[in-house]
Amino acid sequence: MQPKEVLEYAKENNVKILDLRFTDLPGLWHHVSFPLHELTEESFEDGFGIDGSSIRGWASIHESDMLLIPDASFPWIDPFHEIPTLCMIGDVIDPITREHYPRDPRYVARKAEAYLAYTGIADTAYFGAEAEFFIFDNIRFDQKEHCGYYFIDAEEGRWNSGRKEENLGYRPRYKEGYFPVPPTDHYQDLRSEMVRVMEQCGMTIECHHHEVATAGQTEIDQRFNTIVKSADNMMLYKYITRNVANRHGKTVTFMPKPLFQDNGSGMHSHQSLWSKGKPLFAGDQYAGLSQMALWYIGGLLKHAPAIAGLIAPTTNSYKRLVPGFEAPVNLAYSRRNRSAAVRIPMYSASPKAKRLEFRPPDPSCNPYLAFAAMLMAGIDGIENKMDPGEPLDKDIYDLSPEEMKDVPTLPGSLEEALNNLKKDHAFLMKGDVFSQDLLDTWINYKIKNEVQAVNLRPHPYEFALYYDI
Amino acid sequence: MPIRYPSISFHDRERARLNWSHIERSAPREILSPLVSLLKGSADPDTALNFFERFISNTPEKIVNYLARFPAALNVLIPLFSQSHFLSETLLMYPEYVEWLHRDKRIEFVKSKEDLLEELSRFESTLGGVELAERLARFKRKEYLRIALRDVTKIATLAETTWELSTLADVVLEKALRGCDQSLRNRYGAPRFLDEAGRIAPSEFVVLALGKLGGNELNYSSDIDLMYLYSHDGETEGIEGRAETRISNQEYFIKLSSAINEAVSRVTPAGWAFRVDLRLRPQGREGFLTRSAKSAIEYYDRHAQPWELQALLKARPVAGCLAVGKQLLNNLQVRIYPPEAKECIIESIEQMRIKLDDKLQQSEVPGFNVKLARGTIRDIEFITQCLQRIHGAHDAWVREGNTVLALRRLHDNNYLPRSEFFALASAYEFFRIIEHRLQLDRGQQTHTLSNQLSDHQVLALRMGFEDTRETPAREALLHAIEYHRGNVLRISGQIMNEGRVQVIARPGEGQALEEMGRGPGSQESHEMTAGLARLERIHPAFASALREIDFEGAARPGFHSFLEALISQAHLLRDFQLDAPSCQRLEALFGSGTTLSEAMVRNPGWALSLLEKSTSASRPAISRGQRNKSRLEGAPRIGSGKRKSNQASSAATGGLSSFRYEIRRQIFDTLAEDVLRQPPVGRSLQRLTETAEKAVAGALTLAIGQLSARSPVATRKILKNPDFHFGIFGLGRLASNELDVGSDLDLFFACDYASFKSRESVREVAFRLAETVVSILTSYTREGPLYRIDLRLRPSGKEGELVQDATYLIEYFRGIAKSWEHAAYLKLRPLAGDLSWAKTVSRKLTNASFSGVRPQVLREDLLDIRTRLEEAAHSLEGSFDLKQGRGGVYDIEFALAYSHFKNGMRYRAGSTLREAVGTARHRGILSDSTAAVFEEAILLYRVLDHSIRLIQGKSSPTVDQKIIQEIPLHLQGRIMSTLTSSSSVSRFVSGNPADEVMAACNRTAILVRRGMEQTFEGTP
């Protein structure tokens, strides 16, 4: 839409409030609201001022004034507020120089798209990410000097099968939630409502279903889109799922591994490159891929240990990324084999459907940064003709130790991932997509606020192991 | 015949094999063989082959066919593929640029701002519908290909490359400004203010560049440091009928500044034009995006920190109303160069260095930082700026933004000794080239050479170092880094700490630093020993031969610099044999003063080729194309410019840098031969004059080419009009075939306006031509200007028109010319332009001069002028002014002039002074005895003058014992043989050459004065 059309749209919908959204560095959506009369055509140039100093990973106090410039291309009416509220995503710019704020993750994604076009390899990258999540009924957690705990409860949780009161059974067994019909699946209607609200907000949804784990693990698949749009959609997706659940007295989490001994939540990312409306990943190589696609895979596999710091960027991610549980720890590629980090879906013979699925990312990432990082890794693979090696069509977990030792793996911890990122990031900085400042800020933030913070705290299981030492 | 898989040492042989097999299938056969040759010689054959395979696989057939027809176009592709990933991507994206680059007949020319503005306009017209930011980005990408190609194939010098990068940025900014300003004016009207008289006047806008762009020394990936200013506060005129469209000028210009930023730095599918950094503006990040000039001055007057003022050292207006920028900077000169205690300046610079050290310590990027590490670029810049601040307060000449030119000017005015100047300038160039190669690779803003040996090797090859049997290229690179850092640290220590050298090595840099000696004597010995030791690793025989020579005194520092230059270009020594006679010649050359030393240090290949010519005829000469060493033997060459010979006209067609190179080479060859063979001094002076003539003619050819290329049709028509007569005339020593080292070129320009109705337009063309010629000859480069030009001999001197109307000129000499002008124009000689017309003018002018002169008046005037000149001469006790002193050259010139006019005898154009005396005697207008005295005096004075100029590199009017003693032994021979052959000068045998020479001068002066008096009195 153009700014004028946005104003008309707001008028038609009797909007009273404007709500601008932006994403901080770790990946959380923030918002600030204005009465609608503050929104004029000039606002799309002049922007709205905010204080960036309290936003995680952004400016320090002495350089905190920022402007949010609404992006007119993607307005929607918020489905959850009583008072009609028009929402838009804002790009963050310096109020004086009007330069894009280099630590705005959305800007990074824009630059990645521009860089792809710059290389001439393709003009569009399509990403379709499948972010899984859990639906709980209750969550308690705290961490104090003398205690640390979490308690999860979910109506659908298998652990409630032995409950005395209000127990009608039909709860998915651990790792067997994919995907029996109701009543075992408790959340059909809830998911459907989420889908309906998403579509009301302009998203295109392809399907929804229960996922493998118990306790309401869910997947709702959006239609693929360009990187920035796909990431925008991912932020909206998370917002809608949380708020719909909240409306029904439930709580949603995108944590990668909230439940021990059950599957974690991934964000398998389907991706493909196109040029002038033609798909570039279809060809006559393995699994119907083109040579370009294979090189792209080569780039992803080569740089996976480094981009892990962006696509699986929490300490909890590495509770998911362990062998077994269908987690794609091993850096290999295969058609149909879900234990490989890269899978080539074989649902359709159409070239337009030819894509690869990169399975290590999880939904705790910042989608703007994660998509940009994956794309840059793939581009590097194409430019340098990185050979992905031979595909692995056996189940990796059935390989002998001798065969396994030749298969490289993802890092085993966030700290290791961040160290890899520190060493290997030149490919991310091509075309100034990621800046040294952004990467340093990211790494330092994660080390200080997450890695060290978790390392400092005793783990409940340590008590079980060591209390009597 | 099949092309076998090339036996090149690829790192990734498997990938190379795959690439090659694809290429063999898809590329035309014609290009395979040249491709192999080029890959063998490229710095990074893996990357080059990889990109070439991608290129040939994806490029349209039309381009492939072009390559088949013109395999020479590979010389465009392979160097770029080998040196730059990001530019390779441009070629993949726009393969048609291969043809554009290959066909560029002006590839060897530097493009001017006007050229680029015009090309950008044409380029934009082909991109209908594309927005401004993307148009600018695409244009920049395209021009970067050309600039980088000229750089990596060594067509361009570093100075030209940085100049072109800076000019490109200037042009992009200018275009951005014009586009954005027009758009804003359409919305708000033009910004205006009320002047002091109450009239409405336009408020102007200027973009000031600082940092590297300000100094015309931009990198491939530098940010451009900008400041936006406007002239006056006020209000815009608004759009008629809409009062709300009137906004304050501040608001208008803030929008304009922001729009320019956006246009220049926004990321588009074609990338971005330039990264903009505005933090050097008043109040830094917190400051307004733009401010009025008045407000800026107030800020710098009252609030600016010292570092902010220092940043203005390099400030330069680049777009918009340049006059506003220039005026602001003029107003701030006192602030930028305040009279400060030297200690305060040194202290403040030292603080900045310490802050940089801390920043570097905190950086976690491993490797060697060529910009920030001690002894590298930033230190050189600090040294330069320190000296500029110390001396710039009282000497405006040193206020120059470009680092190398600033060093040159500091040296010119004796604030920086010669060896230090050369060491710093060489080091700066060296590190800047490293920086360029690092940034050219990925287009990233990097200054760090990693610790990986493989990266060192690739960089070394990209810089032109070669592997030798003994040493891989990367070691030569590291030696060179060590050498230059050592020099910079030593000089920095001397300047910053007044004699104490502090060498601070940052842990983990991976470079060992040699501790340099503390005092000059021991330091030089140490450096010489260390240098010979390093040379021994590269060429043991050469080093061993050099050890036998004892370079003494003045020869030593120059030779040491030459040694290090050789080490850094070790490939020049490959297959080179040095024998004892060659070593002696080297000693003579280095002992003969600064002109030759500097030239040999800057171009060691020249010295080697001189030595080689005189050894074995069978050994192939070292290629004069040391600057083209990236081209392989037998490989097809790019462009249509070909360097053929010593002829200035062909040098002129080869571009400005080639032209300058050829002229300097010819001057060097003449002086070197003069030192080694010591021919009659007149022969050397004649050769120097011939070179200068070629330079003038070549400059005119270049000037015509430049004007024709970038001027409107009307100008081109005038230039081609057969009635357009333009000539360049020589006077003084240039006219008399006696130009010497350090001589100015006495020139004037004339044109014939009479044939044109529109005199003004012809006059304008003639002026631009003359200005361009002057600019070409006098442009200040790292080597200094090619020549200095003196135009004051034109009618009305400094106040006179640059280009004289021939008709007026003739009438001037017929009527109102002064006596000294008649005398000066006696030697008039046409040099360049329409020579046939110029000779006619010359003849008519001479006739007019002779008809206008009254000999009696001339006599009195000349005697009067002579007396005044003599009084102004540098006549200290024990010294003699060869030119102006009593009995000096002017006595002879004045006597000759008078006798010619008195007798109505025309001077033969081009005669040397001695020949003119001979002719005058032959025609009876000078007595035999006077002529004999004059002839021998001229011989003595010329040989003395020439010897002194050779040693000092400039004209030195006065000779005394001390100066004579400084003339090295091997040059004294010619002086003494002149004395010996003199018949009218009694040899005073004292055993002390200096005494003998001074005595001879004194006696000669007496005789000359007597001769002059007799001539003026009319007595024999």
Side-chain angles (χ1 to χ4, degrees), chain B residues 914-945:
Chain B
R914 200 156 182 260
E915 285 168 352
V917 167
T919 307
R921 177 187 17 208
H922 179 71
R923 291 187 184 173
I925 63 170
L926 268 187
S927 70
D928 285 345
S929 56
T930 303
V933 163
F934 282 179
E935 280 169 347
E936 290 188 0
I938 290 165
L939 207 54
L940 176 64
Y941 293 160
R942 288 290 194 233
V943 80
L944 268 178
D945 182 41

Side-chain angles (χ1 to χ4, degrees), chain A residues 42 45-46 62-63 94 96-100 107 110-111 114-115 117-121 295 380 382-385 422 426 428-432 436 440 444, chain B residues 15 19 50 53-54 85-86 89-90 92-93 141 187 255 258 261-262 265 267-272 275-276 278 281 285-289 364-365 442 444:
Chain A
E42 283 71 34
E45 269 188 36
D46 297 339
H62 63 279
E63 47 179 9
D94 181 295
I96 297 178
T97 63
R98 302 194 68 87
E99 291 164 345
H100 281 274
Y107 182 47
R110 281 201 197 283
K111 285 192 283 180
Y115 182 67
Y118 175 93
T119 63
I121 289 170
W295 286 329
D380 195 50
I382 294 169
E383 285 178 342
N384 290 293
K385 300 191 181 120
K422 221 189 243 192
L428 293 172
M429 290 175 64
K430 287 193 211 177
D432 275 10
Q436 189 68 57
D440 288 344
N444 293 337
Chain B
R15 188 175 74 165
N19 278 332
N50 196 44
E53 190 277 331
R54 285 179 63 191
H85 281 72
F86 84 100
E89 280 157 8
T90 301
L92 294 177
M93 182 77 162
R141 259 181 113 170
R187 287 168 72 176
K255 287 179 188 291
S258 168
N261 264 3
E262 163 89 0
S265 62
V267 176
T268 73
W272 62 93
R275 297 182 194 88
V276 174
L278 297 165
R281 67 187 189 271
R285 278 187 219 268
E286 308 310 318
F288 285 120
L289 200 51
E364 292 174 358
V365 179
R442 305 273 171 175
Q444 285 171 357

Side-chain angles (χ1 to χ4, degrees), chain A residues 5-34:
Chain A
E5 289 166 315
V6 172
L7 294 173
E8 281 164 15
Y9 174 70
K11 198 172 171 192
E12 281 160 18
N13 287 277
N14 199 28
V15 165
K16 299 285 184 259
I17 297 289
L18 165 69
D19 196 54
L20 289 181
R21 308 267 168 105
F22 60 93
T23 307
D24 67 12
L25 203 58
L28 212 60
W29 233 9
H30 297 258
H31 76 131
V32 56
S33 303
F34 308 89

Side-chain angles (χ1 to χ4, degrees), chain B residues 29-306:
Chain B
R29 299 289 296 168
E30 296 88 339
I31 69 169
L32 295 180
S33 179
L35 177 62
V36 168
S37 291
L38 285 167
L39 286 173
K40 267 192 189 145
S42 76
D44 188 354
D46 285 72
T47 304
L49 186 66
N50 196 44
F51 274 116
F52 187 75
E53 190 277 331
R54 285 179 63 191
F55 183 84
I56 210 77
S57 302
N58 295 305
T59 213
E61 202 177 322
K62 180 183 148 197
I63 306 294
V64 176
N65 292 340
Y66 184 85
L67 286 179
R69 282 170 54 213
F70 302 105
L74 288 175
N75 280 275
V76 166
L77 290 174
I78 301 304
L80 286 173
F81 284 161
S82 163
Q83 298 258 4
S84 174
H85 281 72
F86 84 100
L87 289 179
S88 299
E89 280 157 8
T90 301
L91 282 168
L92 294 177
M93 182 77 162
Y94 306 105
E96 66 273 18
Y97 288 168
V98 172
E99 195 177 340
W100 167 67
L101 285 167
H102 180 238
R103 287 189 181 281
D104 185 0
K105 288 184 167 30
R106 300 183 60 218
I107 189 76
E108 298 189 10
F109 283 80
V110 169
K111 285 189 185 178
S112 67
K113 186 172 178 178
E114 291 73 24
D115 291 333
L116 283 172
L117 274 169
E118 197 181 312
E119 287 184 26
L120 176 50
S121 296
R122 280 203 296 263
F123 182 76
E124 285 186 298
S125 66
T126 67
L127 298 177
V130 175
E131 43 153 16
L132 178 61
E134 191 174 338
R135 297 200 304 268
L136 295 175
R138 281 180 66 170
F139 182 72
K140 172 233 170 162
R141 259 181 113 170
K142 187 179 179 210
E143 286 301 316
Y144 258 41
L145 282 176
R146 184 183 183 274
I147 293 170
L149 183 64
R150 281 168 42 80
D151 182 8
V152 305
T153 54
K154 308 235 180 343
I155 295 173
T157 61
L158 172 74
E160 287 173 0
T161 300
T162 56
W163 196 88
E164 284 199 296
L165 290 168
S166 305
T167 306
L168 177 59
D170 290 355
V171 162
V172 163
L173 284 165
E174 184 68 50
K175 265 292 176 175
L177 191 161
R178 288 182 195 174
C180 298
D181 191 36
Q182 189 54 56
S183 179
L184 283 169
R185 280 174 192 238
N186 292 344
R187 287 168 72 176
Y188 302 110
R192 311 172 304 178
F193 74 104
L194 282 178
D195 67 13
E196 283 157 0
R199 293 173 298 215
I200 295 175
S203 181
E204 304 285 0
F205 183 81
V206 65
V207 181
L208 275 189
L210 301 122
K212 290 232 166 358
L213 179 59
N216 266 313
E217 45 194 15
L218 203 61
N219 276 332
Y220 286 102
S221 291
S222 292
D223 288 355
I224 50 175
D225 296 309
L226 300 179
M227 192 189 301
Y228 299 119
L229 295 167
Y230 61 94
S231 62
H232 297 88
D233 283 305
E235 203 178 56
T236 65
E237 63 182 345
I239 305 300
E240 199 175 325
R242 293 173 56 198
E244 75 278 11
T245 58
R246 281 207 292 270
I247 57 175
S248 71
N249 284 354
Q250 187 186 43
E251 209 182 328
Y252 178 89
F253 288 120
I254 286 176
K255 287 179 188 291
L256 177 58
S257 304
S258 168
I260 293 170
N261 264 3
E262 163 89 0
V264 170
S265 62
R266 186 155 69 76
V267 176
T268 73
W272 62 93
F274 291 95
R275 297 182 194 88
V276 174
D277 189 337
L278 297 165
R279 287 173 298 174
L280 289 177
R281 67 187 189 271
Q283 291 180 307
R285 278 187 219 268
E286 308 310 318
F288 285 120
L289 200 51
T290 181
R291 54 175 69 213
S292 68
K294 180 169 166 238
S295 155
I297 290 173
E298 272 170 24
Y299 175 82
Y300 284 109
D301 261 343
R302 296 198 209 139
H303 306 293
Q305 300 291 313

Side-chain angles (χ1 to χ4, degrees), chain A residues 77 122 254 383:
Chain A
I77 305 294
F254 289 88
E383 285 178 342

